[in-house]
Amino acid sequence: MSPSAAPLREPRSGYPPGARVLFTGEQIRSTVERMAGEIRAAYGEQELTVVAVLHGGLVFAADLIRRLDMPLRLGVVMASSYRGEAREPAALELPQHPQLDVADRHVLLLDDILDTGRTLSALAERLGALGPRSLRTVTLLDKPSRRVVPIQADFRGFEIPDLFVVGYGLDFNERYRNLPDIVALPPPATGPRPG
Ligand code: XMP
């Protein structure tokens, strides 16, 4: 599904000023349902270990796993690359270990958004070294135009252009994670961004 160009019909409290709705909660629900169908088809009845990247993947993980009916374990890892009000990734901080064992498990690494690809590829490498039986990746949003590391998610929801988005778990300076829609922030006022 491609982004709708619909502006917010009226300013709503809690939304960033000047934001534009890319995907409504309803569009997100049907895309998550479609993704769950693809994941069910790939794994069947096999037990799945979902490793969700916090904090951004929290809302997506909560919705996705409730649509999966195979035996399922949920673990989390913390990775952070955006700092405060910055829209550009800072140095990536990764945990030493996921908090759930993954050896000999079917592991599905879940993140909210695939941007430069640094986070997902570094985490996949880290998890892959722990000997999972299989390792796949799932992301709700994909910004392929920003890719620095060549990685594609095995399951993905929406492809978006180079916009900074918030809502449905994604934040700007820790705000807006609670929005039911995914919205694009207006571009920064000051010139083109570096890198
Ligand atoms: P990389 O560049 O490693 O980025 O693929 C993945 C992580 O960066 C964060 N990210 C965003 N967060 N709006 C956000 O709120 C965005 O548009 C955005 N782009 C990247 C996110 O935490 C993701 O896990």
Side-chain angles (χ1 to χ4, degrees), residues 87-99:
R87 297 186 186 196
E88 288 303 312
L92 181 62
E93 291 172 20
L94 291 180
Q96 284 311 303
H97 300 289
Q99 99 341 325

Side-chain angles (χ1 to χ4, degrees), residues 32-134:
V32 172
E33 183 63 52
R34 188 256 299 160
M35 297 172 82
E38 293 169 6
I39 292 167
R40 284 195 300 264
Y43 291 96
E45 293 300 310
Q46 301 181 100
E47 185 184 82
L48 189 57
T49 297
V50 175
V51 177
V53 182
L54 295 184
H55 294 76
L58 186 68
V59 177
F60 174 44
D63 280 350
L64 182 70
I65 63 170
R66 286 178 295 164
R67 290 175 166 86
L68 298 174
D69 48 13
M70 69 280 278
L72 188 147
R73 303 155 77 231
L74 176 65
V76 294
V77 285
M78 277 260 228
S80 56
S81 55
Y82 284 80
R83 286 273 161 263
E85 301 200 349
R87 297 186 186 196
E88 288 303 312
L92 181 62
E93 291 172 20
L94 291 180
Q96 284 311 303
H97 300 289
Q99 99 341 325
L100 196 63
D101 64 290
V102 297
D104 204 28
R105 308 279 186 176
H106 292 296
V107 176
L108 182 60
L109 176 60
L110 174 153
D111 205 356
D112 52 358
I113 188 164
L114 187 49
D115 187 334
T116 65
R118 289 193 183 106
T119 306
L120 213 59
S121 62
L123 283 173
E125 197 179 319
R126 192 72 61 89
L127 290 179
L130 299 174
R133 192 178 309 176
S134 70

